[in-house]
Amino acid sequence: MDKHPPDEERALSIRDIARLAGVSRQTVSRVLNGERYIKASTEAQVRKVIEEHSWRPNSAARALATSRSKTIGLLVSARSHYGPFSAAAAIDEAARARGYAILSATLAREDDAAISEALDAFSAQGVDGVVVIAPQQRAHEALQRVAVRVPFVSMHWKDDGDGRVAAFDQEAGARLATRHLIELGHTRIRHLAGPQDWNEAEDRMNGFLAELSDHDLPATAPVLGDWTSDLGYEVGLKLLDHPDFTAVFASNDQMALGLMHAAAELGISIPGDLSIVGFDDIPEAKHFAPPLTTIRQDFAWLGAHAIDVLVTQIEGGDATAIAGEYPIPQLVVRQSTAPPRVPG
């Protein structure tokens, strides 16, 4: 007599599926892993039993069968904003589509100890790989010093040539935004930058300055922001009191929103008196007053690409063959930009 008959009170195990299908546990594992050289009739019988019982292997059974947990650790900075959080959502969706579950951890700090603690926790849970979304420079430096014992992919960082970075070309995106304003006829353009320790902010600032230089236009020192609309509003009240410029490239849409709020309070018309370009194309950007011209990043693509790079590493492939692709974001032109009333 079977001592452990499957019933409604006990979840089926891989051994139960094997017994019901009349095959070995190893055969069920091979079917689940999609291995070749299994008789079509055998595979059909196993899958029939699985379907009849609506069975899904739990993570422990899968780990025993494959030597993998089919889980991925996702390490996200607590100071992240729209872009990183959108990428995290896309990563979760892409991972599930590939049969992996996501275990998330939030970094309250970006130092060696915090990163090491998070990686140790992932290791204890047997993750197969890690995706890191911590765009701050010191988080990048800390990760370089901390031993990562599983495959990993970093996002929003500069490539170190190891094929483990998934990102858009932030500098090229900033060039697009700045070039759009220049082509409209603006020659006096300010930049509201992101925080100094964020790689994204640095790349966007460098792109802005490089585009001005290529067109032999003067550059005023960028104003450092913190990604928030509150900061954009406060800076806007000061800069727009007596503006000596006709356009602003803001490093993200939230700061652009605050800037537009300040302009409205000061009676400055957008785009009549001032053109503004943002970055990210948050869902609300098309509903700003006026709708915001911005740079769109496809976070769904980015999440899927990061998972492709990571899973290729996990499964023993050459990640460098698919990594190193840094698409240029897309310029989305709306009503917040126009030629200046007075050229310049």
Side-chain angles (χ1 to χ4, degrees), residues 217-228:
L217 293 177
T220 304
V223 178
L224 297 180
D226 64 0
W227 301 129
T228 68

Side-chain angles (χ1 to χ4, degrees), residues 27 38-39 129 136 138 168 173 178 225 231 255 285 301 341:
T27 297
I38 298 177
K39 286 183 179 180
Q136 300 87 351
R138 61 174 169 268
F168 283 98
T178 310
L231 186 284
M255 291 192 297
W301 178 90
R341 285 178 176 167

